[in-house]
Amino acid sequence: MKRLRRHGQESQRDRIKQELFQFNKAMEHGFPHQPSALGYSASLQLLAIGTRSGAIKLYGAPGVEFMGLHDENAAVTQVHFLPYQAGLVTLLDDNSLHMWTLRAHKGLSELLEIGRFTLTGPPGAPPSVTRVTAVLPHSSGELLLLGTEGGHVFIVEVPGFREVEERNISLDQVASSVPDDYIGRRNLEHVEALQENPVDPDQVVIGYGRGLMIIWDLEKRCAMQHIPATQQLESVWWTDDGSYILSSHSDGSYCQWIVGREDVNEEEEKSDIPYGHFPCKAISKIVQLPTKEGPPFLLFSGGMPRASYGDRHCITVIHSKTHVALDFTSRIIDFFVIKDGPQNTGDPSALVVLVEEELVVIDLQTAGWPIIQTPYLVPLHSSAITCSHHISAIPLKLWERIVATGDLQNTHYSKKPWPITGGQNLAPDPPQRDLLLTGHEDGTVRFWDASGVCLYPMYKLSTAAVFQTDTDPNDNMNQSTEGEWPPFRKVGCFDPYSDDPRLGIQKIHLCKYSGYLTVAGTAGQILVLELNDETAEQTVEAKVVDLLQGQEGFRWKGHTRLDVREDPVLFPPGFQPFALVQCQPPAVVTALTLHSEWKLVAFGTSHGFGLYDYQQKNNVLIKCTLNPSDQLAMEGPLSRVKSIKKSLRQSFRRIRRSRVSLRKHHVNNAAKLQDANARLEAELAEMELAPVQRKIEARSSDDSFTGLVRTLYFADTFLSDSSHNTPSLWAGTNGGCVFAYMLRVPSIEHRTEEAVTAQPAKEIQLMHRAPVVGIVVLDGHGAPLPEPLEVAHDLSRSPDMHGSHHLLVISEEQFKVFTLPKVSSKMKLKLTAMDGSRVRRVGVAWFGSSRTEDYGESGLMVLTNQGDVHVVSLPTVKMQVHYNCIRREDVSGIASCVFTKHGQGFYLISPSEFERFSLSTCNLVEPHCLIEAPLQSGTSTQHRPQPSRARNARQESEDAESAARRVMEHALLNDEKVLQEIQKSLEADQTSFLGNNVKSAVA
């Protein structure tokens, strides 16, 4: 009977798990880390970005996103969309080509890899023979031209990657058509560029590294014209009317050549070095686009004077009398121009630039060429992220006020809509409004709309104006000196340099019902802010809190506190500070919480914690938790004093050196800085413990940082007796100690006259002294207490004050439940004894049922140092589910994780990207989008050549078996069941034909 009952309980538990819990890594937010290639389809209106880690990401209209990952651990070097098809080709730095398609499945599109191909040379041939350096998708959509390091051009059919042997262009064929005097002077080198004639698809220009350019006729298989440039070639552009070819060179010059001139020895029609005759850097890419009325646009990257501005990352735009050098803060990867009208045939409308740390889009049709704000791909790391805070279900009124405040900040952006509009976003509207707040090293807090697929920037708050720093608030990146040459204009928002690292934001807490916000920083500063729709000028007076309380024998050796501005400061509309608490010593704030109903803020550092009444602007409570033997807590992050804990100081020194390196060498060390910060946090938490423990071991009270406050919690519960509830403050430390204080908060009528008081009530010392990472009070029904003002706004039921309350203390090693008010142990769950993990992050979440709307459960979301995510039931404290989420080696990702109130989570997978995951079956945010292949009918032959002309020669020479396979490929391309069979047959064909083809091309 017992066995049957146990089996019934297990089946019921499994059913509940299926209804409530399901792990999904839904998507990624932010800017791709280490981008390496850019592609654009004018017909699909899609943007593609490849990265050094082998990822390929596609973006269209807001909400339309796709992601693929190559199996090879190699960087993506080139991305090319196939004309008028829902497919693209990628080239990796291991010389492999990959075919991707956007296939429709159940009404939605998905990005699939359907083939891969690598050129292989004959036995004994050097690798340069088949090393691909340039890729040109032919406008027919059926051919790829592959230029190689050895100077050959191979032609393959797509999507099958079948080489067309007789149409390959070998180096010997090209050399035979070039005058002997040119060949005698130099080797042609590699194929640097391939471009198709916009008005004649049978003609392509082949540009070689040494400078020679050959116009080749694919139909006649011969050279039509050679252009004997003498400078090292960087890029080639064929003008839209087909009459000119532009070439850019390594000496900072560009040349314009007339197409069709019979005298091949004639000097170039036009040669120019835009930035003078002093040595200039190479012009890596050049584009010229006509306008219907007026002169053309000329755009090129590079070309700056080497001695004076060799470290600048610039794209020059010249149109009529306007000449601007757009100056970016990181290296330029690539750029393209979007045109107006159908099929991208109108005037240039937007310049899209991918740089190493952001995507910048510039409106070319509005005076001044302003920037268009991006709805996605925003650089989250424009200043390094130091902390995150998520708030679910924002009330509409607060949401609208934040949106309006953000709009006032964005007046410098273009009013033009986002120009990349491909695909259809079929995702339903978000059920609620969610905010993600990120704190940054430069003292800013950024508000993001995290409701849907796009993490959209809403508002930026800066705290630097409160303090005296070296930063000039009137600095404007877009200011330029009149008559300056080159005519630089700073663009982009990526700026990793912090003039004062003490400004860094470490903790954030926002009350969504009252609009009060509190932020805490690196130098012990805690600001309390309120939302104001009008500009205000005011002085913020600092209230100093001495957490050491006069203890002798301690001397702070770290950084000094920030100096507060004595003069009134003009604060723009938005969140404006009205109270400031300054901890002394000015150590990093490690815990922070706000109770907007009681008008109280609690804060903690490595020395103790305090309670501040921001209505009366008085200190209510100061408690020193510093252990007398803990000298390390007095050194501070920039100390040079020797200690046995050398690893901690080395971490801080790495941070400091990285900042110096940023200023001196103007390089991006954001990734290193983020990793160092994360490792520092891990070291503070772990200290001298092994990475994996199989049993709980008692920790010595002499361990360093035992007094560091890890968590703070407000609760209205029972502390003195079981019949009288009272406001309380709970604090947990790194040494396994929990302090509880009873608070007397006057009624609303007397709140401004009477002072809030606090008296110690309880103190709990965990037996094994494991750090306390979370505290939760459960009401008589076993439910967590609601947030402040949540009941008053009718968004939560009142807590049960008749049954007995319980205190849940979460340490790194176990979950322990105590009864209140007696504080006697009731039950516990030992996480470490189970799998050797330690708790790093916890959060209470509501898990709704996917099958029954009126059913749900509260659970505790837990992240461990192994990167595992658990859900623990409340109030029974039993393990529900366990998923692998983050790699255990990803210290930065584990340290940055933040949970939401509805079963989701965010963590940094790079300094610039959040990974979003969900544990809830009914709360999942992911892209739902559809891409339709562009219609081929109605397109002019000038821009859409008929495929038959480019295929006639090949069709005549194909045997019946090859033709049948070709038909199968096209007919069954979107059939998932036969893709693998097609791929196997294609690879077999490649193996049999490729060796002979390459030999004949080289011969």
Side-chain angles (χ1 to χ4, degrees), residues 16-29:
I16 291 176
K17 288 179 182 179
Q18 293 175 2
E19 291 184 11
L20 300 181
F21 311 115
Q22 181 180 352
F23 180 71
N24 283 289
K25 281 194 175 180
M27 59 180 308
E28 297 172 0
H29 297 293

Side-chain angles (χ1 to χ4, degrees), residues 324-358:
V324 174
L326 302 171
D327 189 6
F328 299 88
T329 57
S330 56
R331 184 175 60 89
I332 296 168
I333 306 297
D334 201 355
F335 70 91
F336 63 85
V337 178
I338 299 176
K339 301 180 187 177
D340 279 336
Q343 307 300 333
N344 208 36
T345 57
D347 286 351
S349 62
L351 168 64
V352 181
V353 185
L354 177 66
V355 295
E356 205 164 34
E357 304 294 350
E358 62 184 318

Side-chain angles (χ1 to χ4, degrees), residues 843-858:
V844 176
W846 175 258
F847 295 92
S849 173
S850 59
R851 301 177 184 177
T852 308
E853 292 185 3
D854 58 351
Y855 179 75
E857 294 181 2
S858 288

